[in-house]
Amino acid sequence: MRQFAQLFRRLDQTTKINLKVGALHEFFAEASDEDKLWAIALLAGKRPKRTVRTSLLREWGAEVANIPLWLFEDSYHVVGDLAETIANLHPQNHSTQQENLTYWITFIRNLDGKEDDEKKELILTTWDSMDASERFVFNKLITGGFRVGVSQKLMVRALARYTGLEENLLAHRLMGNWSPVDTSFNDLVLAENPDDNRSRPYPFYLAYALEEAPENLGVPEEWQAERKWDGIRGQVIQRGGELFVWSRGEELVTDKFPEFEILRQLLPDGTVLDGEILPYKDGAPLAFNDLQTRIGRKNVTRNVLQKAPVVLVAYDLLEADGQDLRHQPMRYRREKLEQLVAEVKGKTDVLHLSEVLSFKDWSQLVAERARSREMHCEGLMLKRKDSIYEVGRKKGAWWKWKVDPLMIDAVMIYAMRGHGRRANLYTDYTFAVWDGEALVPFTKAYSGLTDKEIREVDAFVKKNTIDRFGPVRSVNPELVFEIAFEGINRSTRHKSGVALRFPRMNRWRLDKPAAEANTLSDLHQLLNEYGG
Amino acid sequence: MALLEFTESGIYCPIADIYIDPWRPVERALITHGHSDHARPGHQHYACHHDSVNILRFRLGQEISVTGYGYGETFLHRGVRFSFHPAGHIIGSAQIRVEYQGEVWVASGDYKLEDDGLAPAYEPVKCHAFITECTFGLPVYKWPDPATVHQEINQWWENNRKAGKVSILSGYSLGKAQRLLHHLDASIGPVFTHGAIENMNEVLRESGVVLPDTRRVTADINKKEYKGGLVLAPPSAIGSAWQKKFQPFSEGIASGWMALRGARRRRSVDRGFILSDHVDWPGVNTAIRETGAQKIITTHGYTSIFTKWLLEQGYQASAESTQFEGELNEMSEADNSEKAA
């Protein structure tokens, strides 16, 4: 544990990529294979099942710190991290334990099913045996969320340096739903023919946003344009007669989309499609909101299937006949994809082809992009016809060219402290628009301000608090922000009657007094124009 | 009538018609210490500890009318007895004791209990009412042993030197910078200072404070000379173009805020050292206990939380809003005290 706690501290202490890779490399060189594997899993966001409720951890944390629970809670709101709050409040700061990371993870897994009293005794004893940094990491293992500024890319780079293997190969090996519990460092990372996990998806190729004019990309003939569908990016895999559906977040979601079951029979063995899972009915896409409601449900009921059925709009073919096609040019993969979809067509409605938009010059695309909202799309995708399918986010060959966001000027009325690196600062705001004399809240937003602006708003909040409800402060309604968002939908859950997609602060309207912010009827007009 | 009250201009003694650390211009102001949120311009007469006199003149103007007193020395004004007592915050910092007809109040300004080796150590003063900051008045703030922190800083410097890097260490220019300087291991390499800090060093040296040798960063120093050295800089210099000449470098901040991971990550420097000139949670509770006071008034910091805690502990506690900032300016891009300097 000391090794891993030290790794964590070193990763946390620096923002420099080289130092992070160096720290990881050293850890890989020193740690046991089982610890290596767990470290990779944790940094990739996989964590052991939670075996202790956080409400219990809070109670015990307050108890060992000998403070009332309310003071513990208030401290937590300032620290912004439960694991750290408990670690700091504990009076002991001297380590007597010698166990490694795997030992403690097994320890946490074994708490499952035990009575609360027994869990408490085991955890309190453990806290006593650790110094603050080990205790923090131990608590993190229970509560999850190791955000330490290590991207998958960076971890893969360190692993490549350590193993001598190629980065792309390693990135692929680390995909999918492996767990340190049922594999080993050797089988997963080093083995030449890793027992070919049939379900394993390919790392997604991600596009950057196009910031400049498309004319700068060169001649139109070299580019393929498609719509940027507003659904969930996913890979559909048929291997060995089994079907797997992966979301971009590397979540296996096969069960969530029973509509695709038919593809198990229709797709040839050894097929991997990249595409958009899209709610689609009566020949047209539905709003993203419909899909979101569906994903939120635990069970996919018949009612849900009727209300928001999905299709796969395929835009790439990554594997055919068991052959990895990622190094073939786009135009070749596209041709194979069109053939495949044509073969399946007529046998099912769930597989669509992402239409290629024909254009002779860039100005035609400008017009297509302007139609995005009515098509329930986010904009356009531009892909070089000779592009290979890269690993991760790469500049150059693929671009997303999103439609301009919708905007509304709103008044900040509530503020809450943020978490992580924004802990102890008021960074999470609620915004309202005017309805006559009243302000009606309609959205929250957290992002878009610079650090400097955040500090200024934070100071404003502290000086202009009207009332406090737990961690939330209501403030004098004075500050106006331009809120940008990608879409707007009717909602019965919100007082305002609308729900926004991707709301963020586009800019601080220092030039506008609160009285000049937009109104609820302005918002409803946007809803009527663009809403689903 | 209370011996001290909180008015729009500051902490006020109506019997003596004297203010303590007022933020609006007044006739007579007693000043606890030289930080800009406590020592503000525009008053007709200032009184403070001897060691703060030159600091005030430097920051507020040579022409101000200021009287210096020693620790424990008393003076009477309209029957009210005033005296200054060590607060341990920075050089020249003082708690102000106010006594009238047997009733004693203490306004502590900013203070810390640890002896930092430079400012005279904090002394508890018995009183009936105690006015306290609570900049770090939450139980998550517990300072590590400063000796260990100074070792860490020197170790970091040494490692940077070996790696061929310049170390840039930030702390505000009055107080923290000199405290850091006092504990740096000069055998590791040369110490350079940002102009704002060196100006303050000069003021203090002239007042008789003994500080290790430093060299002001100027345009005519050859870049190579910085190699392996340590540069003391105010927080406002971190992330500015001024730093470029030190490349390659590693940056560190010494502040109480560094106790929390969120604040460390937000500053995104290479190292955060937990070192504060304010009391931590155990410290503020000890200090209050040792005054013997029943009435506690909390000013800047986590006032509402800390006041609730004190009420639960049986104190007669209340919070007053002031314009004191505590260590806030250490975290902001534009350091207010630097602007004033």
Side-chain angles (χ1 to χ4, degrees), chain A residues 279-290:
Chain A
Y280 195 92
K281 204 176 178 181
D282 304 329
L286 301 170
F288 180 80
N289 203 37
D290 296 309

Side-chain angles (χ1 to χ4, degrees), chain A residues 265-298:
Chain A
Q265 299 152 31
L266 296 178
L267 294 175
D269 186 11
T271 302
V272 178
L273 291 164
D274 182 13
E276 199 84 1
I277 300 167
L278 201 64
Y280 195 92
K281 204 176 178 181
D282 304 329
L286 301 170
F288 180 80
N289 203 37
D290 296 309
L291 183 57
Q292 199 164 35
T293 319
R294 170 174 167 168
I295 298 164
R297 296 273 159 84
K298 206 162 183 188

Side-chain angles (χ1 to χ4, degrees), chain A residues 312-346:
Chain A
L312 181 76
V313 180
Y315 35 66
D316 217 322
L317 182 64
L318 310 187
E319 182 177 313
D321 303 323
Q323 295 299 308
D324 183 351
L325 300 185
R326 292 177 300 157
H327 285 86
Q328 300 291 344
M330 180 82 227
R331 66 163 68 78
Y332 174 85
R333 300 199 308 273
R334 176 76 197 185
E335 201 184 304
K336 297 280 268 185
L337 175 69
E338 286 179 5
Q339 284 168 14
L340 180 71
V341 176
E343 280 164 29
V344 176
K345 213 174 179 181

Side-chain angles (χ1 to χ4, degrees), chain A residues 412-473:
Chain A
M412 181 177 91
I413 56 168
Y414 304 125
M416 218 176 126
R417 286 196 178 99
H419 291 263
R421 71 184 281 276
R422 314 166 111 212
N424 204 9
L425 278 180
Y426 285 90
T427 57
D428 301 0
Y429 316 125
T430 300
F431 295 95
V433 283
W434 292 104
D435 183 18
E437 296 289 292
L439 280 165
V440 182
F442 70 101
T443 191
K444 289 184 182 185
Y446 316 97
S447 64
L449 296 186
T450 63
D451 284 358
K452 184 166 172 283
E453 286 171 327
I454 287 177
R455 274 192 296 273
E456 285 170 27
V457 177
D458 175 71
F460 171 86
V461 170
K462 285 170 182 160
K463 282 188 194 135
N464 286 276
T465 300
I466 305 170
D467 208 350
R468 298 167 200 230
F469 325 90
V472 180
R473 292 190 182 202

Side-chain angles (χ1 to χ4, degrees), chain A residues 12-13 70 421 423-424, chain B residues 142 261-262 266 270 302 312:
Chain A
D12 207 31
Q13 259 173 9
W70 70 263
R421 71 184 281 276
N424 204 9
Chain B
K142 287 182 290 189
R261 190 170 160 250
R266 192 152 62 232
D270 302 303
Y302 297 101
E312 282 189 7

Side-chain angles (χ1 to χ4, degrees), chain A residues 163-213:
Chain A
T163 59
L165 295 169
E166 208 210 324
E167 284 184 32
N168 285 351
L169 181 76
L170 286 170
H172 187 201
R173 286 182 182 176
L174 295 183
M175 291 291 286
N177 64 341
W178 58 273
S179 160
V181 177
D182 48 41
T183 185
S184 67
F185 184 73
N186 193 59
D187 288 351
L188 183 79
V189 177
L190 301 179
E192 286 229 350
N193 279 320
D195 74 45
D196 274 295
N197 190 337
R198 272 195 204 150
S199 73
R200 182 181 289 142
Y202 290 102
F204 286 89
Y205 179 14
L206 306 173
Y208 273 93
L210 185 68
E211 309 282 0
E212 45 186 333

Side-chain angles (χ1 to χ4, degrees), chain B residues 93-105:
Chain B
S93 68
Q95 311 175 68
I96 295 175
R97 183 181 183 276
V98 184
E99 181 185 352
Y100 183 70
Q101 294 180 350
E103 185 180 347
V104 179
W105 288 50

Side-chain angles (χ1 to χ4, degrees), chain B residues 106-318:
Chain B
V106 169
S108 54
D110 292 337
Y111 65 101
K112 71 169 174 289
L113 304 196
E114 301 85 24
D115 183 354
D116 68 15
L118 206 55
Y122 173 90
E123 286 174 14
V125 180
K126 292 281 177 207
C127 57
H128 300 99
F130 186 59
I131 301 170
T132 180
E133 63 152 321
C134 46
T135 307
F136 294 106
L138 271 189
V140 287
Y141 294 108
K142 287 182 290 189
W143 305 148
D145 177 14
T148 313
V149 179
H150 291 302
Q151 265 171 27
E152 283 172 12
I153 292 173
N154 283 319
Q155 188 60 54
W156 166 74
W157 181 13
E158 172 68 21
N159 293 347
N160 290 337
R161 190 188 62 81
K162 282 186 191 151
K165 287 181 189 171
V166 176
S167 304
I168 305 179
L169 183 58
S170 125
Y172 53 81
S173 56
L174 168 59
K176 186 70 65 65
Q178 292 77 28
R179 180 183 182 187
L180 290 167
L181 182 56
H182 184 73
H183 292 277
L184 287 174
D185 180 354
S187 69
I188 298 173
V191 178
F192 297 90
T193 46
H194 182 277
I197 290 175
E198 195 54 29
N199 290 345
M200 189 51 74
N201 286 350
E202 282 170 7
V203 171
L204 294 170
R205 284 185 182 117
E206 279 165 28
S207 313
V209 178
V210 179
L211 294 172
D213 289 341
T214 50
R215 190 166 168 201
R216 183 190 291 264
V217 172
T218 53
D220 52 302
I221 295 182
N222 189 320
K223 201 173 170 296
K224 281 181 198 144
E225 292 188 57
Y226 293 120
K227 209 165 185 184
L230 184 142
V231 182
L232 277 174
S236 55
I238 293 290
S240 73
W242 177 80
Q243 288 183 317
K244 280 190 188 150
K245 51 181 160 292
F246 306 118
Q247 270 163 351
F249 58 76
S250 176
E251 290 173 301
I253 290 185
S255 164
W257 299 110
M258 294 296 119
L260 297 187
R261 190 170 160 250
R264 285 199 301 273
R265 291 167 76 199
R266 192 152 62 232
R267 274 314 233 155
S268 65
V269 286
D270 302 303
R271 282 297 293 272
F273 300 102
I274 307 169
L275 193 74
S276 178
D277 291 325
H278 295 263
V279 273
D280 61 359
W281 173 263
V284 72
N285 280 285
T286 304
I288 288 172
R289 206 167 44 242
E290 287 182 353
T291 62
Q294 256 311 300
K295 180 179 173 64
I296 309 296
I297 298 167
T298 62
T299 56
H300 46 309
Y302 297 101
T303 46
S304 57
I305 298 173
F306 189 56
T307 305
K308 183 172 170 189
W309 160 259
L310 290 175
L311 286 167
E312 282 189 7
Q313 304 304 301
Y315 288 100
Q316 184 198 333
S318 59

